[in-house]
Amino acid sequence: MTVRLALAAAAAVLAAAGANAATKLTVYTALEPEQLGPYKKAFETDNPGITIQWVRDSTGVVTAKLLAEKANPQADVVWGLAASSLMILDQQGMLDGYAPAGLAGIKPEFRDAKAQPTWVGMDAWMAALCFNTVEAAKKNLPKPESWADLAKPVYKGQVVMPNPASSGTGFLAVSGWLQIMGEKPAWDYMDKLHDNIAVYTHSGSKPCKMAAAGEYPIGLSIEYTGAQQKTKGAPIDVILAKEGTGWDMEATAIVKGTRNPDAARALADWASTAKAAALYTQYYAVAAVTGVANYPANYPADAEAAMIKKNDFTWAASHRDAILAEWSARYNAKSEPK
């Protein structure tokens, strides 16, 4: 072998070794599948020594998986899970406190209040109604303006919403009703609403997509999804209930026991930057970083004003199991198969 070939071979070995030395960061998420590629690419471009390995499922499944792995954590970081779920993990002592470099730029309501926060928000989404005007006209259905309207007998079998046990959007809707109405009135309301539900889905965005496709006239879903579907040409109106609407935020947290703490902190730092927030607003209008927002075409006006002001995430987290047990006992028979 010539000296030149030997040097080339050595360089190839070193390059391969360098590639193999890249830190593989296991990241649990409930992000929508179309978000995974862009988020991974953007982070890895700025952090070339770290490779993300996604573990993705719905909010409820990811939360249950993390809890089941408490004694032997498999995740390094959670990036893109409902804050209400992360608070459950925090109550179990499963998250590491860390103040990311961009913490000063995060809106106060989008972060854990501790000096070393165990979770930091990314973006917010809220419950909205996707109302197919064409299908509704065929069935002489009036346009609902409130949660109270949605429980009227005229909508029997015409509404689709997410199952709160598997969907963060479903849970924030139920949590919002309980906080807005009070416990007994809210369960009475959900009893009436249940009569009008055709099916409970396991995805927060699916009901709006079903309404947009004309499968059902009304889908309780995500406001941003509604704007997207309308912009694509779907004959839908995106309605925020006049009583106010429940909301939640996606957030980032470091899992206690991570085998890659430096890489995990690097992701937490990056996830709290304005650059990351600009990426989040390609999928959600409201970002955690001050001054970053993106209101797309057909996004409902004054959406942030519709978000309930005293959204008690700690209460929602501590009562989540009881809420879901009650909800499942009453309504789960109409859930779609998993």
Side-chain angles (χ1 to χ4, degrees):
M1 180 181 292
T2 66
V3 172
R4 181 176 295 177
L5 287 174
L7 289 173
V13 169
L14 289 172
N20 291 333
T23 300
K24 294 180 180 178
L25 202 61
T26 300
V27 181
Y28 281 24
T29 188
L31 293 168
E32 294 295 327
E34 61 267 24
Q35 295 170 268
L36 302 183
Y39 285 26
K40 175 181 168 72
K41 180 179 179 181
F43 171 74
E44 290 179 356
T45 297
D46 289 347
N47 297 271
I50 305 172
T51 300
I52 286 177
Q53 291 186 317
W54 293 114
V55 176
R56 190 253 167 219
D57 215 310
S58 64
T59 299
V61 173
V62 172
T63 305
K65 183 174 176 62
L66 286 159
L67 288 168
E69 295 170 354
K70 178 180 178 180
N72 183 26
Q74 300 301 302
D76 294 302
V77 180
V78 180
W79 187 20
L81 188 67
S84 53
S85 288
L86 287 174
M87 289 181 194
I88 296 169
L89 305 179
D90 196 19
Q91 290 169 358
Q92 296 289 320
M94 296 172 59
L95 305 178
D96 263 343
Y98 176 66
L103 187 62
I106 300 293
K107 299 172 187 174
E109 65 271 26
F110 279 83
R111 53 158 291 186
D112 176 23
K114 296 187 285 290
Q116 296 289 316
T118 48
W119 60 268
V120 176
M122 300 159 52
D123 47 59
W125 80 103
M126 64 200 78
L129 299 177
C130 295
F131 179 71
N132 189 307
T133 56
V134 172
E135 294 303 312
K138 292 177 184 177
K139 299 180 179 183
N140 294 316
L141 298 177
K143 180 178 177 177
E145 297 181 352
S146 65
W147 298 125
D149 285 346
L150 203 63
K152 292 177 179 177
V154 69
Y155 299 113
K156 187 174 180 64
Q158 305 301 318
V159 184
V160 188
M161 76 166 278
N163 180 324
S166 52
S167 162
T169 303
F171 184 73
L172 70 86
V174 172
S175 171
W177 294 332
L178 288 164
Q179 293 186 62
I180 292 167
M181 301 176 192
E183 187 170 348
K184 186 180 186 305
W187 288 113
D188 290 344
Y189 169 75
M190 284 184 268
D191 285 346
K192 294 176 182 176
L193 178 63
H194 181 65
D195 289 338
N196 295 342
I197 297 292
V199 65
Y200 296 103
T201 69
H202 296 295
S203 161
S205 60
K206 187 174 180 178
C208 189
K209 293 174 181 177
M210 295 171 82
E215 295 179 52
Y216 295 96
I218 304 172
L220 191 161
S221 192
I222 302 168
E223 92 289 358
Y224 196 94
T225 302
Q228 288 180 315
Q229 294 297 313
K230 188 174 180 67
T231 298
K232 290 177 181 178
I236 59 172
D237 289 341
V238 185
I239 304 164
L240 297 175
K242 63 184 181 183
E243 300 98 329
T245 189
W247 60 281
D248 206 336
M249 69 184 91
E250 293 185 311
T252 305
I254 297 174
V255 178
K256 186 172 288 186
T258 171
R259 298 174 181 85
N260 300 291
D262 290 341
R265 292 182 192 119
L267 178 51
D269 285 340
W270 194 89
S272 298
T273 63
K275 182 175 182 178
L279 187 59
Y280 304 152
T281 60
Q282 298 304 306
Y283 304 91
Y284 295 93
V286 181
V289 174
T290 301
V292 181
N294 175 28
Y295 302 110
N298 297 304
Y299 191 76
D302 300 322
E304 288 192 60
M307 296 161 63
I308 58 174
K309 298 297 181 286
K310 295 182 179 180
N311 196 0
D312 192 339
F313 291 110
T314 301
W315 175 87
S318 61
H319 289 81
R320 185 176 188 271
D321 287 348
I323 291 169
L324 294 180
E326 182 69 17
W327 188 94
S328 296
R330 290 176 182 240
Y331 314 126
N332 196 50
K334 284 188 179 181
S335 291
E336 66 181 358
K338 289 188 177 180

